[in-house]
Amino acid sequence: MNNILKYLSISLLTSISSQVFSQDTISNADLLKRIEALEAEKTQPKEWDISLYGWVRTEYNFDSRQSAYSREYNLNLYPLDEKLDANGKDINGAGASNFLSITTRTGINFKGPDVWGAKASGKIEADFFGNTEINKSSAGSGSIGLLRLRHAYATLAWPHTSVTFGQTWYPAFIPEVFPGVANFNTGILFNPFGWAGQIKVTQKLSDQFSFIAVAYKDREFQSANAIGAFTNSATINSSVPTFHGQLQFKNKNIMAGIAAEYQSLKPVIESNNLASTEKLNSVAYLAYFKYSDAKFSAKLYGITGENLHHLVMIGGFAGYTEANGQESYKPTKTSSFWVDLASNNDKIAPGIFFGYTKNSGVDEGFKNLYVRGASGTRILDHVWRASARVEFKQNKFNIAPELEYTAAKYGDTQADATAGGNITNVGNFRAMLRVMYSF
């Protein structure tokens, strides 16, 4: 059939050229060569390939209680402790709601010519979730809806080894194994979250096993600030990055892995008017598992470690006064796990999520606490969350209602930074609707 079409094309071109351009004589063989050259040019791989993607996303949130939050009450962390007025009424018992489209996202995937024998690719991605939080005590301060860099990285991939450099997910965040909740929190507080500038090397050990090594530096999400510190000073002042090692198994239906990381931060370079060499050293361990087929997926994840603040989890570190008046530091301990079960149906996909995180404190004798989950003389003991969702999908359009309940236990801060007397239990019920149109 192709030869017949080629012959007809040649005959037609010959006829036209003989009538209109009779002074030029082109042989059938020359015409055939030109046609074959054009066809070969079409089948050649592109030197550059660029694709645009993203979505328009709007969330409608309704909360029964005031919560610790980020970004205009979009990302709820945990319900706030009781705050009684002169009449004994709980001020934080007030509800809240918001309609937001700041999680709208766009990105570019690109591929280029091979580099040193490796396939070269990259990604640039941004959303409108970046801002400085509104300061409740100073009207008009802060900004909202700013464009925020999520990913900006390039990868060189050889048959068994790949190297990624730039900003992308924390290695403790597993893109294939994170909660499928409708809420933008993606399981935050129970699952690590965030991006960091890094160098990542992935080495295939076999068809199913890989080893991943990462060196990274905190950026948008970072450790808490000690007295005298500024945003990200703890990681900037440190001469070494955080090191992460991970062993991963993956086949058609199962993905699993274990990992460990070591972080050494230097919160300040000056303390008590003296040069400070005090460091904040911490370790963390995690494991994850995922099973998925055409109908169903199950995901499990657990992490335990020290100073997990930079992963948007509870905890942080404590400050101790030394003999020379300077402050030294020790990390608090946090543990967390979650499970997510969901349908993989193309049209209607229900799912459920449960997560739990626990504050296990720090050594006694501290003077200051730099942690997420503490306020004044009160501190979190634990937080748990349960949610149920249903996704309704049609082509690139997606509507997902979700009901979520987050409970928190507070107590007076003890000598080891755990929660003790005057226990209170509070909870926040969130009802939300997510609407997305992807491209």
Side-chain angles (χ1 to χ4, degrees):
M1 179 63 72
N2 289 336
N3 290 333
I4 294 174
L5 291 175
K6 290 180 181 178
Y7 180 79
L8 292 174
S9 299
I10 292 171
S11 300
L12 180 62
L13 289 172
T14 302
S15 175
I16 294 174
S17 62
S18 63
Q19 295 180 27
V20 181
F21 305 106
S22 57
Q23 68 275 22
D24 296 328
T25 302
I26 302 177
S27 67
N28 290 348
D30 289 338
L31 286 172
L32 181 60
K33 288 180 180 179
R34 293 185 183 184
I35 292 173
E36 290 176 344
L38 290 172
E39 289 181 344
E41 184 177 340
K42 290 180 181 179
T43 59
Q44 285 181 351
K46 296 179 181 178
E47 187 175 33
W48 287 95
D49 188 12
I50 299 175
S51 60
L52 181 69
Y53 69 92
W55 60 52
V56 175
R57 172 172 173 152
T58 299
E59 295 180 24
Y60 307 93
N61 298 318
F62 301 87
D63 291 279
S64 65
R65 183 178 184 81
Q66 298 290 299
S67 294
Y69 70 91
S70 178
R71 307 306 196 256
E72 305 173 68
Y73 238 91
N74 179 275
L75 200 163
N76 59 315
L77 299 176
Y78 50 86
L80 294 178
D81 193 13
E82 289 184 348
K83 183 180 181 181
L84 304 181
D85 65 11
N87 298 317
K89 185 176 181 179
D90 184 4
I91 296 173
N92 288 328
S97 69
N98 211 348
F99 291 5
L100 291 167
S101 296
I102 58 177
T103 54
T104 293
R105 181 184 306 174
T106 188
I108 300 172
N109 288 319
F110 55 91
K111 297 180 181 179
D114 289 357
V115 177
W116 298 315
K119 300 295 183 182
S121 62
K123 179 192 290 286
I124 300 173
E125 183 180 280
D127 63 14
F128 300 89
F129 204 63
N131 70 348
T132 55
E133 300 294 353
I134 302 294
N135 189 333
K136 295 180 181 179
S137 62
S138 177
S141 67
S143 57
I144 60 176
L146 300 181
L147 188 68
R148 175 183 67 165
L149 179 68
R150 288 171 55 90
H151 298 278
Y153 65 85
T155 298
L156 300 179
W158 291 269
H160 299 287
T161 307
S162 67
V163 180
T164 297
F165 53 92
Q167 177 171 301
T168 188
W169 292 114
Y170 274 125
F173 180 96
I174 313 301
E176 300 90 347
V177 189
F178 72 91
V181 296
N183 196 319
F184 187 70
N185 64 38
T186 58
I188 283 177
L189 204 65
F190 311 98
N191 187 65
F193 185 85
W195 314 270
Q198 62 189 263
I199 299 173
K200 178 171 71 173
V201 178
T202 302
Q203 179 65 45
K204 290 189 66 176
L205 305 178
S206 68
D207 290 340
Q208 297 179 330
F209 283 95
S210 297
F211 180 75
I212 303 167
V214 184
Y216 71 84
K217 284 276 191 172
D218 298 331
R219 185 187 155 265
E220 181 176 355
F221 305 101
Q222 65 278 324
S223 182
N225 289 331
I227 295 174
F230 58 89
T231 301
N232 266 337
S233 65
T235 188
I236 293 171
N237 291 335
S238 176
S239 59
V240 297
T242 301
F243 295 105
H244 177 102
Q246 183 178 148
L247 181 64
Q248 186 177 94
F249 170 87
K250 187 176 183 180
N251 64 18
K252 180 180 178 181
N253 298 112
I254 295 175
M255 183 174 184
I258 56 174
E261 69 177 49
Y262 171 78
Q263 185 177 66
S264 182
L265 304 177
K266 191 175 182 180
V268 298
I269 61 173
E270 178 185 357
S271 178
N272 195 33
N273 297 317
L274 297 171
S276 175
T277 59
E278 296 291 342
K279 295 182 179 180
L280 171 62
N281 300 322
S282 59
V283 295
Y285 307 94
L286 65 91
Y288 56 90
F289 174 86
K290 174 186 177 182
Y291 173 83
S292 183
D293 57 29
K295 297 182 178 181
F296 171 79
S297 67
K299 306 173 189 175
L300 300 92
Y301 186 107
I303 183 171
T304 183
E306 303 166 325
N307 188 27
L308 302 185
H309 188 284
H310 64 297
L311 301 178
V312 199
M313 305 183 75
I314 63 173
F317 61 97
Y320 300 77
T321 303
E322 299 300 318
N324 62 359
Q326 289 193 324
E327 190 171 53
S328 62
Y329 310 99
K330 291 183 180 180
T332 67
K333 302 175 184 67
T334 300
S335 298
S336 178
F337 76 90
W338 59 264
V339 57
D340 188 272
L341 307 175
S343 165
N344 289 333
N345 189 281
D346 291 336
K347 298 297 183 180
I348 301 176
I352 57 174
F353 167 83
F354 178 82
Y356 176 90
T357 184
K358 169 76 173 178
N359 163 37
S360 297
V362 71
D363 293 348
E364 296 184 6
F366 62 84
K367 181 180 179 181
N368 297 303
L369 276 179
Y370 309 105
V371 302
R372 178 180 286 112
S375 179
T377 62
R378 304 281 287 171
I379 195 168
L380 278 170
D381 177 77
H382 68 259
V383 181
W384 62 265
R385 176 180 297 156
S387 67
R389 64 190 184 272
V390 181
E391 290 188 69
F392 298 93
K393 298 175 282 188
Q394 179 65 42
N395 294 326
K396 295 292 186 176
F397 199 77
N398 183 303
I399 297 178
E402 183 174 59
L403 300 178
E404 171 192 283
Y405 185 79
T406 306
K409 177 181 177 180
Y410 288 88
D412 292 339
T413 304
Q414 303 300 292
D416 60 353
T418 58
N422 299 317
I423 297 297
T424 57
N425 290 280
V426 294
N428 173 53
F429 173 78
R430 166 169 282 204
M432 69 157 294
L433 179 69
R434 184 196 71 193
V435 181
M436 293 175 59
Y437 188 49
S438 304
F439 61 88

